[in-house]
Amino acid sequence: MVAVEVVEVTDELKNAYDVVVIGGGAAGLSGALMLTRARRSVVVIDAGAPRNAPASGVHGLLAREGIGPAELVERGRAEVRGYGGQVVSGEVSTVAREEAGFQVALTDGRSVHARRLLLATGLVDELPDVPGLRSRWGRDVVHCPYCHGWEIRDQAIGVLGSGPLSVHQALLFRQWSDDVTFFSHTLPSPAGEEAEQLAARGIRVVDGEVASLEIVDDRLVGVRLTDGSVVKREALAVASRMVARTGLLSALGLRAVEHPSGAGEHIPSDATGRTEVPGVWAAGNVTDLAAQVGGAAAAGAAAAAQINADLIAEDTRQAVAARARGAVPFSAEMESRVCEAVLGDRRHGL
């Protein structure tokens, strides 16, 4: 006889959790998995807008090479739920500080209390305003050579000048193809050391603004300049401006700042993921703009371990104080029930 575990999937929120994870990608789900295995009450609130949705597969992820982004998320959700965690579809509107943690409000009117927060909302890629570019994003318009380089190896690759890392990006993609063209677009033509580096690697420089992409039979075939000329290309690399999704935490004073690389905006955190706001950790692309899926997942797990340690320290302080008063110590289950009951009374004005 085979025993089958039935995991109930529900969007019904409890009143309170040890940890609310905002964002259900690799970082958020990995953090939730670690916390549920640590016997913490956890809910992941996921708006369902992953950055890598247009990609056909996740690459460079050991033992899961090429897995579809949606499949990876579904597997992660199932694992979190298997240990008693919740994954709820919804969008967080605001987060407010409370006496014993945070109040997390959703756009649909629901709200929940959290002792700690793990922010894993990821980022948004801001792309240059070039007709035809966004619709090809994640297909033959790419950004990361480690994510897409193998798939476009030996093709005619263009690199669009769009930011401070564009020349570096061209030098990177030269590893995957000996036919790389740099389009200066709206940037000044490379000069000095940059021009020397591009020339030494055989990377052609084309000056002039790019007007549009040439698409034939649903494939990129060229880049059209404003003067009407077309340069044949099979793939185009673009260094997007990467901006962390953080507006929901503005009430806590946690705002995105410019990343030292100049590539976009992020939430600063220390090596453990701890932010400057007590009780809030960050993991994945919201704090590390360059993190791939594997790195984001690892960061989520590391932050979760630190959150659990922080909660243990708090639980221990409370137990010591209770012992000094001669009170009977609560079990974890009793503590959770009392917490929910108190919060429920507060919501009803009792």
Side-chain angles (χ1 to χ4, degrees), residues 263-335:
E265 297 178 358
H266 75 135
I267 290 292
S269 66
D270 66 15
T272 72
R274 190 189 298 264
T275 72
E276 62 184 13
V277 175
V280 180
W281 275 256
N285 288 140
V286 72
T287 185
D288 182 359
L289 300 181
Q292 293 181 273
V293 171
Q306 294 297 321
I307 291 171
N308 185 55
D310 192 52
L311 286 169
I312 287 173
E314 181 177 280
D315 294 340
T316 302
R317 288 193 299 270
Q318 292 174 350
V320 169
R323 180 182 175 86
R325 294 193 303 269
V328 177
F330 282 174
S331 67
E333 183 178 359
M334 290 173 62
E335 182 180 6

Side-chain angles (χ1 to χ4, degrees), residues 128 130-133 136-144 148 152 155-161 169 173 181-183 210 212-214 220-224 231 233-239:
V130 174
L133 190 149
R136 310 303 302 179
W137 183 243
R139 301 165 68 189
D140 38 29
V141 174
V142 300
H143 70 294
C144 170
H148 305 284
I152 62 172
Q155 294 184 16
I157 301 173
V159 177
L160 184 69
Q169 189 178 39
F173 273 97
T181 296
F182 181 80
F183 295 91
V210 171
S212 63
L213 305 186
E214 294 290 298
L220 175 66
V221 297
V223 174
R224 180 177 294 276
V231 179
R233 294 289 92 182
E234 298 169 279
L236 183 67
V238 179

Side-chain angles (χ1 to χ4, degrees), residues 103-189:
Q103 189 70 21
V104 180
L106 279 65
T107 55
D108 60 12
R110 293 179 292 174
S111 64
V112 62
H113 176 82
R115 294 175 66 190
R116 300 292 186 274
L117 294 177
L118 175 55
L119 181 65
T121 48
L123 58 80
V124 174
D125 289 291
E126 295 182 349
L127 301 176
D129 187 17
V130 174
L133 190 149
R134 179 166 289 280
S135 65
R136 310 303 302 179
W137 183 243
R139 301 165 68 189
D140 38 29
V141 174
V142 300
H143 70 294
C144 170
Y146 302 104
C147 303
H148 305 284
W150 177 263
E151 284 64 42
I152 62 172
R153 65 193 184 281
D154 299 326
Q155 294 184 16
I157 301 173
V159 177
L160 184 69
S162 58
L165 299 179
S166 293
V167 170
H168 174 65
Q169 189 178 39
L171 294 170
L172 283 175
F173 273 97
R174 177 62 179 81
Q175 175 66 22
W176 282 265
S177 175
D178 59 6
D179 185 359
V180 177
T181 296
F182 181 80
F183 295 91
S184 60
H185 188 42
T186 56
L187 298 180
S189 183

